[in-house]
Amino acid sequence: MRQLLFLLSLFSSFAIAGSPELASEPEVNINSRMGQELYQTHCQACHGENRLGAMGPALLPGNLKRLRKNKALGVIKNGRVATQMPAFMSTLNDAEIEALGDLIYTPLKEMPKWDLSDINQSQKVFFKPGDLGEKPVFEADMMNLFIVVELGDHHATVLNGDTFEPIHRFKTHFALHGGPKYSPDGRFVYFASRDGWVSKFDIYNLEIVSEVRVGINTRNLAVSSDGRYAMAANYLPNNLVILDTKDLSPIKVIDVKDKDGNTSRVSAVYNAPPRNSFIAALKDIKEVWEINYEDKPPAGFVGWEHSYHKEAGDVVTPEPFPIRKAKVSAYLDDFFFNQDYSLLFGASREGEGIIVSLDARKEIGELDVPGMPHLGSGITWDYQGKEVMATPNLKDGKVSIIDMDNWQTIKHIETKGPGFFMRSHEKTPYAWVDVFFGPNKDLMHVIDKSTLEIVKTLQPIPGKTAAHIEFTKDGRYALMSIWDMDGALIVYDAQTLEEVKRLPMTKPSGKYNVFNKTTYSRGTSH
């Protein structure tokens, strides 16, 4: 019965995404019919029915406002750097590309709606808090477990990090975002799907306990340091949604707009543990938002106060989840934070890199990073007595090493092509980076952290994408994904770099160690 309820909810996600209540296409005429037919054939699988987004983003005029139509035609023809958007120049002629361009810049006859009442109605609670046991139903080191997301057939696997044996495999929603988030104690894991569903899974009892649909096109999810709240970042609608993690009931919807009423998609949201805040990256507004989730936010959080003493009568008592905003000079798609979360390192698709003081709420420097750095995959370690950050590059074949004290680039390590993921661990001498984009996608570089040199390049399965390393709790083993329907999870000895084990899996996009994620390891993303 439990599985039946969950499967019914999975089917409902597809039904809702295409339902008349959410969207309807404009009136069909001769000029638009070609575009709609081409969209159904070539685009719908990634961008969703009615252009509302799925694995790829929604294709609506409001979501494309930063992209001029002639640029969009170029993307359709030539593909898009650092994404899975393919080139159609050999498949479609110029007239067909023009027809697709006309379609995606045509407003829907009725714009989609998904507000607080819709979110409330979508909530499903399979087990109330306290219904399930407080002890694990299996034996393992609970902090050395992995959740492996298998995008190929929409499943996730609970993997034992000591034996590398699967413990449980279960169905997920369509098109999960690759990065699930754990509760602070590691018992629960939260998933966000591109079509807006957030699910809570009890690892101890191996059960989905609740879920809710927070939007139509969702980017990612963050969980607060105290474990009480989750925040979802949406492309459609343009908002942030705060959830009570007990049962995923919605608490608040925050519309994302500037003082002039301009709205923005949310690229991503992150938890900032020392600040007890969520940090949001905005795709269409040049601002960084910090949302505090403490019961009593710090004095002055929402603005300048003459005195913090109650007797003075100037103390401002903010509403729950107050927001403070920092204006920046670029549209930031990607973030990295220093260890105390006082500084934010941001990057745009245009290659701009800036440094923002979250305390001062202003830019204080620039990053010398060429191409398109993937700061969200950046990591840190100690090098010659100083802390450095390393980031792969989505456009150029290089890894940039940056001094965290003066923000100067120490070295650009040349690689065999643009990379997406970079990982290490405090107890390993090596950092691993893939070559995710281009003809050398089957390679994985291993960099010596003490010399900043590539010491080995692995090619586990020629022709198949090798990506996304994650380490065991103790850093002894490194787990690699083979991104293919006939894929695998490959376990390496992190010292000898020799293969230890290979597990068949269906396009395992990523795997996430409970300990490394809940302790915010310097060698992994957060």
Side-chain angles (χ1 to χ4, degrees):
M1 183 64 180
R2 297 168 184 167
Q3 291 295 325
L4 176 60
L5 286 172
F6 181 58
L7 288 172
L8 286 173
S9 72
L10 291 176
F11 292 128
S12 72
S13 72
F14 297 103
I16 290 173
S19 66
E21 297 79 44
L22 287 182
S24 56
E25 284 286 1
E27 297 292 335
V28 178
N29 55 47
I30 294 175
N31 293 330
S32 66
R33 185 174 289 113
M34 178 194 295
Q36 292 193 38
E37 290 175 353
L38 289 168
Y39 180 86
Q40 291 171 3
T41 301
H42 299 288
C43 313
Q44 183 169 300
C46 287
H47 294 280
E49 188 177 358
N50 294 329
R51 299 184 278 142
L52 296 178
M55 182 61 73
L59 296 178
L60 301 172
N63 286 55
L64 299 171
K65 55 192 172 187
R66 278 182 56 200
L67 187 67
R68 294 183 182 275
K69 186 179 176 183
N70 65 321
K71 296 288 187 181
L73 297 179
V75 171
I76 297 171
K77 184 174 183 178
N78 303 310
R80 189 166 174 82
V81 173
T83 73
Q84 296 185 57
M85 172 67 186
F88 285 94
M89 61 188 303
S90 61
T91 307
L92 305 176
N93 60 39
D94 288 345
E96 291 171 326
I97 290 173
E98 186 74 32
L100 273 176
D102 289 343
L103 175 69
I104 64 177
Y105 280 90
T106 300
L108 297 176
K109 184 179 179 182
E110 183 180 344
M111 282 302 293
K113 175 187 76 72
W114 197 257
D115 58 22
L116 185 59
S117 63
D118 297 306
I119 298 171
N120 271 308
Q121 291 177 30
S122 73
Q123 184 191 16
K124 304 177 191 299
V125 178
F126 305 113
F127 299 95
K128 296 179 181 178
D131 282 354
L132 298 174
E134 297 297 318
K135 295 183 179 180
V137 296
F138 57 93
E139 292 186 6
D141 179 348
M142 303 305 291
M143 297 306 286
N144 198 30
L145 298 177
F146 292 83
I147 295 291
V148 185
V149 175
E150 297 182 69
L151 279 183
D153 61 355
H154 317 299
H155 279 75
T157 295
V158 181
L159 183 73
N160 189 317
D162 292 321
T163 65
F164 304 115
E165 293 294 333
I167 294 170
H168 179 67
R169 193 171 189 264
F170 58 98
K171 188 76 175 174
T172 69
H173 279 285
F174 173 76
L176 284 190
H177 177 267
K181 298 297 189 293
Y182 293 104
S183 60
D185 62 0
R187 173 176 173 175
F188 299 103
V189 61
Y190 301 86
F191 300 93
S193 68
R194 294 297 194 196
D195 58 353
W197 284 97
V198 173
S199 304
K200 177 182 180 180
F201 182 78
D202 185 338
I203 297 176
Y204 284 16
N205 292 281
L206 304 176
E207 294 280 6
I208 294 283
V209 295
S210 56
E211 60 181 12
V212 66
R213 194 178 192 194
V214 296
I216 299 167
N217 190 200
T218 297
R219 297 308 294 171
N220 81 323
L221 179 80
V223 174
S224 62
S225 298
D226 57 15
R228 294 192 297 165
Y229 306 113
M231 176 173 275
N234 285 328
Y235 261 21
L236 191 66
N238 295 167
N239 63 24
L240 292 156
V241 179
I242 302 173
L243 304 172
D244 185 330
T245 57
K246 289 196 300 290
D247 57 5
L248 298 185
S249 55
I251 296 174
K252 187 174 185 177
V253 174
I254 302 173
D255 293 326
V256 178
K257 58 180 67 176
D258 64 15
K259 63 181 179 61
D260 298 319
N262 300 307
T263 63
S264 176
R265 296 164 288 172
V266 185
S267 299
V269 62
Y270 305 85
N271 180 43
R275 306 180 72 84
N276 293 314
S277 294
F278 295 118
I279 311 292
L282 308 186
K283 198 166 185 67
D284 307 305
I285 296 174
K286 293 180 180 179
E287 295 177 350
V288 173
W289 284 19
E290 179 176 6
I291 303 98
N292 187 274
Y293 50 72
E294 293 177 276
D295 292 334
K296 295 181 179 180
F301 184 84
V302 294
W304 185 84
E305 296 176 18
H306 181 266
S307 173
Y308 296 151
H309 297 289
K310 291 183 179 180
E311 306 80 51
D314 295 325
V315 176
V316 177
T317 303
E319 294 291 322
F321 308 105
I323 304 168
R324 65 178 179 186
K325 307 173 183 180
K327 291 187 177 298
V328 293
S329 61
Y331 298 105
L332 300 182
D333 295 287
D334 210 7
F335 285 171
F336 180 83
F337 301 91
N338 64 345
Q339 287 296 302
D340 66 6
Y341 284 77
S342 61
L343 299 179
L344 177 152
F345 299 78
S348 71
R349 284 197 62 87
E350 290 71 32
E352 299 162 288
I354 63 173
I355 304 161
V356 178
S357 167
L358 291 174
D359 294 326
R361 280 177 268 179
K362 65 179 183 180
E363 287 184 36
I364 58 173
E366 296 181 357
L367 287 176
D368 173 26
V369 280
M372 192 185 303
H374 187 200
L375 296 180
S377 194
I379 59 175
T380 63
W381 67 79
D382 293 328
Y383 170 74
Q384 295 184 355
K386 63 182 71 175
E387 183 180 46
V388 296
M389 174 181 71
T391 176
N393 200 292
L394 299 169
K395 188 176 180 181
D396 296 341
K398 58 186 62 179
V399 169
S400 297
I401 309 296
I402 297 167
D403 187 322
M404 290 292 282
D405 288 331
N406 59 26
W407 315 321
Q408 298 300 305
T409 300
I410 295 174
K411 183 176 183 178
H412 295 303
I413 303 172
E414 299 295 326
T415 66
K416 292 292 186 179
F420 197 83
F421 298 107
M422 188 167 188
R423 296 290 186 269
S424 187
H425 190 278
E426 288 82 350
K427 295 182 179 179
T428 177
Y430 303 119
W432 301 52
V433 63
D434 56 39
V435 188
F436 195 85
F437 303 102
N440 296 317
K441 63 183 181 180
D442 54 359
L443 301 181
M444 178 74 68
H445 293 305
V446 182
I447 298 169
D448 187 320
K449 295 191 292 188
S450 67
T451 64
L452 307 184
E453 299 287 345
I454 294 173
V455 294
K456 191 165 187 177
T457 298
L458 302 167
Q459 188 183 35
I461 303 181
K464 292 188 177 183
T465 301
H468 194 275
I469 292 291
E470 178 68 297
F471 287 82
T472 51
K473 180 178 75 171
D474 59 6
R476 184 178 174 186
Y477 297 101
L479 283 66
M480 179 194 297
S481 290
I482 301 299
W483 277 42
D484 193 85
M485 290 299 291
D486 183 21
L489 197 67
I490 303 179
V491 182
Y492 288 89
D493 185 304
Q495 298 294 322
T496 67
L497 309 181
E498 297 296 324
E499 182 176 331
V500 174
K501 190 170 186 176
R502 187 173 296 206
L503 293 81
M505 288 197 175
T506 309
K507 199 175 183 180
S509 59
K511 79 295 302 165
Y512 308 88
N513 181 268
V514 174
F515 180 83
N516 293 339
K517 292 298 184 182
T518 57
T519 59
Y520 288 75
S521 166
R522 296 168 71 190
T524 188
S525 63
H526 309 294

